[in-house]
Amino acid sequence: MNKIIIHGGFPLEGIINIDGSKNSVVALIPASILSKSVVRIYNYPKISDVGVLIDILKELNVNTKINETYLEIDSTNINNTPLITAKMGSLRASYYFMGALLGLFKEAVLRLPGGCYLGPRPIDLHLQGFAGLDCRYEIDDELIHLQAEKLIGREIHFPFPSVGATINTMLAAVLAEGKTIIYNAAKEPEIVDVANFLNQMGATIKGAGTSTIEIIGVKMLHGTEYQVIPDRIEAGTYLILGAMLGNPLEINKVNPHHLKALLSTLTNCGVRYDINDDKIIVHKTDKLLPTNIITQVYPGFPTDLQQIITTLLTQCNGVSTITETIYSDRFQNCHELIKMGANIEIDNKQAIIKGKTHLKGTEVVAKDLRGGASLVLAGLIAEGTTIIDEPQHILRGYSNIMKKLQKVKANIHMST
Ligand code: EPU
């Protein structure tokens, strides 16, 4: 198995271009089948999750064409094949085939999703959304069976604004009969992106980005060409890196509006950055200040950046805390950071980080995607050599990470 090898402690300088959003594109790919036509997705990230979703499309007899610039998906001859292979369980986003296949065929059989272990990740709210549209479901073993005579638009009240359940309900509702209203919908930029994509294919969705989304069912959708929004978590990851090592780093092709919670946290830590349209230039900050972070749904501080900013907090002078409110077990990376010399205590939902600590390179394990990214950052600031095992988790969500870091003079490579 390959490992990432990093020789750390050197300043980084240059431009990092941000690719399209992982959590958006992993929904757009399944959503594209609702068109039963040809869809082109531009600015897609070069990540392994995209490769897995393309393989799943092949099982449905959907043709794809991929090049540097776009991903083309032709679902004209789609079959409703049961999706039961292990690939379905290798990522979270395979659950978007539930909503898309249900919307298109009114029935589907699928293997349950997998993804990073961050504590239990039930799909009860997705099922609540489907049931709200008159779909019946049964789960036996690892398979879910979804079936509806016809899908009927209704009012759905979510007890929690789940990203996945909101998107899945939209996917199932766009071809339903009548009006669906989702109350307490998630408001993340990826929800807006998926709604814009579906609307461009002929759907009628209003209110995405607010807590009430209204969908009026249409008879059919059509093909389109679409540009994915920038990945705010990838951008945030490199901004945090720039705050520790930027000489300076320019993070390019970002949407700063999607990064407000992170930017205000960086300001609290004393980080200097300049925003210029879709670029943010960030400088290494010598005296980083401690801060307290609580993860929240958008527009709050994103849980997906929590593990990554932990690395920065090890470099702040004083005691910082992170309170994780979205997932019950998202501190696994802290044990690896401790091996590198970090001073972190975990107390139930809170991590208490005492800094500043001098990190030293050692062998660590990427147990999940964002935790793995936090270790890459730690390796880049640490003295000596860091070896990261199980880098496949990182490659699931960071487009061309090795090349992008090498381009800004990081001493990082993949062992063969
Ligand atoms: N939840 C339930 N029941 C459900 C759905 C969610 O209890 O039916 C709980 C989850 O267990 C979790 C919380 O609600 O504790 C939030 O889950 P949500 O549904 O909002 O998240 P998700 O759809 O599973 C997406 C991203 C995650 C990101 C979250 C929150 C994708 C493929 N994944 O997950 O991304 O953390 O939204 O923003 O879009 C990542 O990129 O590293 C990642 C984990």
Side-chain angles (χ1 to χ4, degrees):
M1 181 62 76
N2 293 346
K3 295 175 188 217
I4 293 178
I5 318 279
I6 304 170
H7 302 289
F10 305 106
L12 304 179
E13 187 178 331
I15 300 173
I16 298 184
N17 289 320
I18 298 307
D19 279 293
S21 160
K22 160 189 169 280
N23 287 344
S24 195
V25 84
V26 296
L28 300 186
I29 293 171
S32 67
I33 65 173
L34 284 160
S35 72
K36 274 198 105 186
S37 178
V38 182
V39 162
R40 263 193 196 175
I41 300 174
Y42 289 86
N43 195 34
Y44 73 92
K46 281 70 180 176
I47 54 175
S48 61
D49 272 8
V50 165
V52 176
L53 292 170
I54 289 174
D55 287 344
I56 296 172
L57 287 175
K58 285 183 193 145
E59 294 177 36
L60 296 169
N61 197 37
V62 172
N63 292 322
T64 54
K65 200 161 87 185
I66 189 158
N67 61 35
E68 265 303 294
T69 320
Y70 61 80
L71 164 64
E72 187 175 281
I73 301 170
D74 180 355
S75 56
T76 314
N77 299 313
I78 185 168
N79 292 332
N80 193 8
T81 317
L83 294 175
I84 57 175
T85 62
K87 284 196 186 297
M88 290 291 287
S90 72
L91 78 170
R92 192 83 201 142
S94 60
Y95 56 27
Y96 291 129
F97 282 106
M98 294 195 293
L101 287 171
L102 178 64
L104 195 58
F105 295 107
K106 317 299 171 222
E107 61 181 329
V109 179
L110 313 96
R111 183 167 294 279
L112 291 171
C116 292
Y117 175 78
L118 311 171
R121 297 177 77 180
I123 56 161
D124 54 316
L125 302 178
H126 301 239
L127 299 176
Q128 184 196 332
F130 300 148
L133 303 173
D134 277 12
C135 164
R136 294 183 305 280
Y137 60 84
E138 234 175 72
I139 299 180
D140 68 73
D141 216 359
E142 283 292 291
L143 298 187
I144 178 153
H145 302 249
L146 301 166
Q147 194 172 25
E149 298 301 316
K150 48 185 177 177
L151 291 170
I152 308 281
R154 299 222 194 275
E155 294 194 355
I156 293 158
H157 296 254
F158 283 132
F160 173 83
S162 152
V163 170
T166 300
I167 292 179
N168 245 333
T169 306
M170 291 198 303
L171 297 180
V174 284
L175 295 176
E177 280 180 23
K179 190 200 280 186
T180 301
I181 305 179
I182 306 174
Y183 293 102
N184 204 16
K187 296 186 277 197
E188 272 66 6
E190 294 75 23
I191 309 279
V192 179
D193 209 33
V194 175
N196 287 343
F197 176 68
L198 290 167
N199 282 343
Q200 235 178 265
M201 297 200 304
T204 310
I205 304 175
K206 281 191 203 150
T210 75
S211 54
T212 306
I213 299 179
E214 201 177 288
I215 303 146
I216 297 175
V218 294
K219 290 254 180 287
M220 60 188 290
L221 301 181
H222 52 73
T224 193
E225 298 197 347
Y226 194 77
Q227 172 99 4
V228 188
I229 55 166
D231 193 314
R232 63 195 168 100
I233 307 301
E234 188 198 16
T237 301
Y238 294 127
L239 280 170
I240 293 168
L241 177 61
M244 297 187 289
L245 289 177
N247 193 25
L249 270 190
E250 180 177 317
I251 317 302
N252 202 0
K253 301 191 183 174
V254 302
N255 184 337
H257 298 292
H258 295 166
L259 287 159
K260 281 184 178 162
L262 171 67
L263 290 171
S264 84
T265 301
L266 290 178
T267 301
N268 293 343
C269 292
V271 175
R272 286 181 301 130
Y273 57 84
D274 299 299
I275 303 176
N276 188 353
D277 292 331
D278 66 348
K279 296 180 192 23
I280 306 178
I281 297 168
V282 60
H283 303 263
K284 171 179 165 38
T285 307
D286 289 326
K287 281 223 163 87
L288 286 163
L289 306 171
T291 192
N292 300 309
I293 294 171
I294 302 176
T295 64
Q296 277 162 347
V297 296
Y298 191 82
F301 191 93
T303 172
D304 293 343
L305 285 173
Q306 172 268 101
Q307 291 171 294
I308 293 151
I309 205 160
T310 303
T311 303
L312 179 125
L313 298 182
T314 69
Q315 301 308 299
C316 295
N317 295 281
V319 180
S320 299
T321 59
I322 294 184
T323 307
E324 171 60 61
T325 70
I326 309 293
Y327 294 108
S328 61
D329 195 4
R330 205 172 196 182
F331 289 128
Q332 297 205 57
N333 61 318
C334 290
H335 304 293
E336 304 302 301
L337 290 171
I338 290 167
K339 285 188 203 163
M340 297 178 73
N343 182 343
I344 307 175
E345 279 168 45
I346 309 294
D347 181 10
N348 191 19
K349 286 180 168 225
Q350 200 172 57
I352 302 150
I353 303 120
K354 294 184 184 146
K356 171 180 184 176
T357 43
H358 181 72
L359 301 189
K360 285 198 172 158
T362 186
E363 185 150 1
V364 286
V365 184
K367 296 189 175 149
D368 57 78
L369 165 61
R370 308 298 174 190
S374 79
L375 299 178
V376 171
L377 268 51
L380 289 167
I381 59 169
E383 178 190 341
T385 303
T386 299
I387 300 169
I388 304 179
D389 293 341
E390 301 193 30
Q392 73 277 7
H393 292 294
I394 301 169
L395 305 181
R396 282 191 42 213
Y398 284 91
S399 188
N400 288 327
I401 183 167
M402 308 301 283
K403 275 193 205 154
K404 288 186 187 187
L405 288 172
Q406 284 161 355
K407 197 179 138 223
V408 294
K409 304 190 179 142
N411 191 334
I412 183 168
H413 68 276
M414 191 73 83
S415 75
T416 44

